[in-house]
Amino acid sequence: MENKREDRLQRLLVALKKTDKIHLKDAALLLDVSEMTVRRDLGDSVSPLILLGGYIVIDPKNSPATHYFVSEQKMRQVAEKQRLGKQAAMLINDDDVVFFDCGTTTPYIIEQIPDERVFSAICYSFNTFLALQDKPNCEVMMCGGMYRPSNSIFIPFGKSSSELDNTLPDKAFISAAGISIEYGVSCFNFDELLVKHQAMQRSREKILVVDSSKFGQVRPAAIAPLSKFNTLVTDSAPQQSYIDYCRESDIQLYY
């Protein structure tokens, strides 16, 4: 019996090399067992896998970095994201060319942009693209490449994104999972860094958009020092140390 359980866990681990998560129902079909059997397999003794929100994922304790799933994050800090989205949208003017980052905060910015605003947008995230296409006076440019379903992005095959090679955005809205004065701005996924870095390099104004839960957090993938941003938008007043740092570094702070 134990050998069969170990075999099933091994098959799930192999399947998770191709994707970041497997729904419980799909796992049961893959293994040709009941969902209850899969639950028991995951619950018995020490397992490298856990059940999270109906999905089987590698236990973060057994992974080099905590995973980030758009599907899990989009319903967190909703009120905070709505508030900062309204603040950030006010920074977009007619005829602006704007880079929009990936993540679950970005669609809240786009949602708050008035429909009459005439602007161009460039993005590399599927959920960001879906939000932009609803804006009647927005011309959207989508960066292509290999699709990563965990964070809903397309990453370029080469060393750079050709769409950004030929674009000079007026503003870049950058999202992040962590912001620290000492360690800078960071995110979970290294896949995002190439496009984030290029967008910041080519944009005249770099705007960091984070909800208040991200302050004091440090994630594995380094985006940039906080001083590299011109503007910081959040949903509520951060700690005084961040307010002082923004003032000393000439960073516009909105909350």
Side-chain angles (χ1 to χ4, degrees):
M1 183 70 71
E2 184 65 20
N3 287 340
K4 288 184 178 180
R5 172 182 175 272
E6 292 299 327
D7 177 65
R8 289 193 294 267
L9 290 175
Q10 187 60 40
R11 289 173 65 186
L12 289 175
L13 281 168
V14 171
L16 281 166
K17 290 182 178 180
K18 302 176 182 178
T19 183
D20 286 297
K21 56 182 178 178
I22 302 173
H23 197 278
L24 177 62
K25 183 181 294 184
D26 294 330
L29 290 173
L30 173 67
L31 301 174
D32 194 25
V33 296
S34 68
E35 292 182 22
M36 184 57 68
T37 297
V38 178
R39 287 180 181 273
R40 281 200 298 266
D41 285 349
L42 300 178
D44 288 349
S45 67
V46 178
S47 169
L49 307 175
I50 60 172
L51 190 61
L52 184 64
Y55 288 89
I56 297 169
V57 300
I58 296 174
D59 191 329
K61 296 192 298 293
N62 299 301
S63 178
T66 302
H67 285 285
Y68 173 96
F69 302 128
V70 167
S71 58
E72 294 166 11
Q73 295 291 329
K74 65 184 179 181
M75 296 310 294
R76 297 182 180 179
Q77 279 82 43
V78 171
E80 292 88 343
K81 291 172 182 176
Q82 288 174 334
R83 289 198 297 271
L84 66 87
K86 187 174 182 179
Q87 284 279 355
M90 294 172 62
L91 301 176
I92 300 172
N93 302 313
D94 280 332
D95 301 320
D96 272 348
V97 177
V98 186
F99 171 83
F100 289 97
D101 204 355
C102 62
T104 56
T105 298
T106 307
Y108 289 97
I109 303 172
I110 298 166
E111 182 182 282
Q112 294 292 334
I113 300 172
D115 285 346
E116 61 270 19
R117 181 74 69 230
V118 179
F119 67 104
S120 298
I122 182 167
C123 65
Y124 68 117
S125 166
F126 187 60
N127 65 317
T128 302
F129 171 77
L130 291 177
L132 285 166
Q133 72 170 355
D134 288 335
K135 292 298 166 181
N137 291 304
C138 175
E139 182 178 56
V140 187
M141 293 170 276
M142 180 73 173
C143 297
M146 186 177 296
Y147 183 62
R148 290 285 188 261
S150 63
N151 49 351
S152 191
I153 65 171
F154 292 87
I155 58 174
F157 288 103
K159 293 184 178 180
S160 64
S161 168
S162 60
E163 290 80 7
L164 274 171
D165 282 341
N166 299 306
T167 309
L168 292 170
D170 297 292
K171 301 177 175 75
F173 287 91
I174 304 296
S175 61
I179 173 173
S180 162
I181 293 174
E182 181 179 2
Y183 295 104
V185 181
S186 56
C187 63
F188 285 109
N189 289 299
F190 290 92
D191 285 342
E192 301 172 12
L193 293 182
L194 177 62
V195 181
K196 286 180 188 284
H197 288 169
Q198 192 178 18
M200 291 186 63
Q201 182 182 33
R202 300 190 65 80
S203 300
R204 284 184 286 169
E205 184 176 356
K206 295 86 171 169
I207 304 169
L208 177 61
V209 184
V210 291
D211 67 69
S212 52
S213 69
K214 307 304 190 297
F215 285 90
Q217 301 294 323
V218 178
R219 303 308 183 188
I223 299 172
L226 182 54
S227 60
K228 293 295 184 182
F229 291 89
N230 307 104
T231 305
L232 169 58
V233 183
T234 188
D235 60 284
S236 60
Q239 293 178 350
Q240 188 62 44
S241 58
Y242 288 95
I243 295 174
D244 293 341
Y245 184 89
C246 288
R247 185 184 303 112
E248 294 164 3
S249 303
D250 198 26
I251 300 172
Q252 292 289 322
L253 176 61
Y254 294 95
Y255 56 85

PDB file of all heavy atoms in Angstrom, residues 4 66 70 97 231 254:
ATOM      1  N   LYS A   4       2.442   1.940  -3.348  1.00  0.00           N
ATOM      2  CA  LYS A   4       1.504   2.532  -4.307  1.00  0.00           C
ATOM      3  C   LYS A   4       1.362   4.041  -4.049  1.00  0.00           C
ATOM      4  O   LYS A   4       1.284   4.828  -4.989  1.00  0.00           O
ATOM      5  CB  LYS A   4       0.143   1.845  -4.199  1.00  0.00           C
ATOM      6  CG  LYS A   4       0.123   0.425  -4.746  1.00  0.00           C
ATOM      7  CD  LYS A   4      -1.274  -0.163  -4.688  1.00  0.00           C
ATOM      8  CE  LYS A   4      -1.297  -1.559  -5.289  1.00  0.00           C
ATOM      9  NZ  LYS A   4      -2.662  -2.155  -5.251  1.00  0.00           N
ATOM     10  N   THR A  66       9.097  30.655  -2.821  1.00  0.00           N
ATOM     11  CA  THR A  66       7.647  30.562  -2.702  1.00  0.00           C
ATOM     12  C   THR A  66       6.997  30.881  -4.043  1.00  0.00           C
ATOM     13  O   THR A  66       7.358  31.836  -4.697  1.00  0.00           O
ATOM     14  CB  THR A  66       7.144  31.555  -1.637  1.00  0.00           C
ATOM     15  OG1 THR A  66       7.790  31.261  -0.410  1.00  0.00           O
ATOM     16  CG2 THR A  66       5.645  31.443  -1.447  1.00  0.00           C
ATOM     17  N   VAL A  70      -1.321  33.806 -10.078  1.00  0.00           N
ATOM     18  CA  VAL A  70      -2.289  34.874 -10.317  1.00  0.00           C
ATOM     19  C   VAL A  70      -3.659  34.467  -9.805  1.00  0.00           C
ATOM     20  O   VAL A  70      -4.386  35.246  -9.197  1.00  0.00           O
ATOM     21  CB  VAL A  70      -2.335  35.225 -11.823  1.00  0.00           C
ATOM     22  CG1 VAL A  70      -3.548  36.102 -12.135  1.00  0.00           C
ATOM     23  CG2 VAL A  70      -1.058  35.948 -12.227  1.00  0.00           C
ATOM     24  N   VAL A  97       2.270  57.067 -23.724  1.00  0.00           N
ATOM     25  CA  VAL A  97       2.611  55.682 -24.038  1.00  0.00           C
ATOM     26  C   VAL A  97       3.020  55.042 -22.711  1.00  0.00           C
ATOM     27  O   VAL A  97       3.969  55.500 -22.065  1.00  0.00           O
ATOM     28  CB  VAL A  97       3.763  55.598 -25.055  1.00  0.00           C
ATOM     29  CG1 VAL A  97       4.134  54.131 -25.310  1.00  0.00           C
ATOM     30  CG2 VAL A  97       3.385  56.284 -26.361  1.00  0.00           C
ATOM     31  N   THR A 231       8.403  57.524  -8.753  1.00  0.00           N
ATOM     32  CA  THR A 231       7.117  57.667  -8.071  1.00  0.00           C
ATOM     33  C   THR A 231       6.764  56.359  -7.367  1.00  0.00           C
ATOM     34  O   THR A 231       7.040  55.270  -7.886  1.00  0.00           O
ATOM     35  CB  THR A 231       6.005  58.013  -9.087  1.00  0.00           C
ATOM     36  OG1 THR A 231       6.381  59.182  -9.816  1.00  0.00           O
ATOM     37  CG2 THR A 231       4.675  58.252  -8.394  1.00  0.00           C
ATOM     38  N   TYR A 254       2.488  58.798  -3.345  1.00  0.00           N
ATOM     39  CA  TYR A 254       1.040  58.988  -3.400  1.00  0.00           C
ATOM     40  C   TYR A 254       0.376  57.863  -2.598  1.00  0.00           C
ATOM     41  O   TYR A 254       0.705  56.700  -2.754  1.00  0.00           O
ATOM     42  CB  TYR A 254       0.533  58.940  -4.835  1.00  0.00           C
ATOM     43  CG  TYR A 254       1.005  60.074  -5.718  1.00  0.00           C
ATOM     44  CD1 TYR A 254       2.132  59.928  -6.521  1.00  0.00           C
ATOM     45  CD2 TYR A 254       0.310  61.277  -5.770  1.00  0.00           C
ATOM     46  CE1 TYR A 254       2.569  60.948  -7.334  1.00  0.00           C
ATOM     47  CE2 TYR A 254       0.741  62.327  -6.591  1.00  0.00           C
ATOM     48  CZ  TYR A 254       1.872  62.145  -7.359  1.00  0.00           C
ATOM     49  OH  TYR A 254       2.313  63.170  -8.173  1.00  0.00           O
TER      50      TYR A 254
END
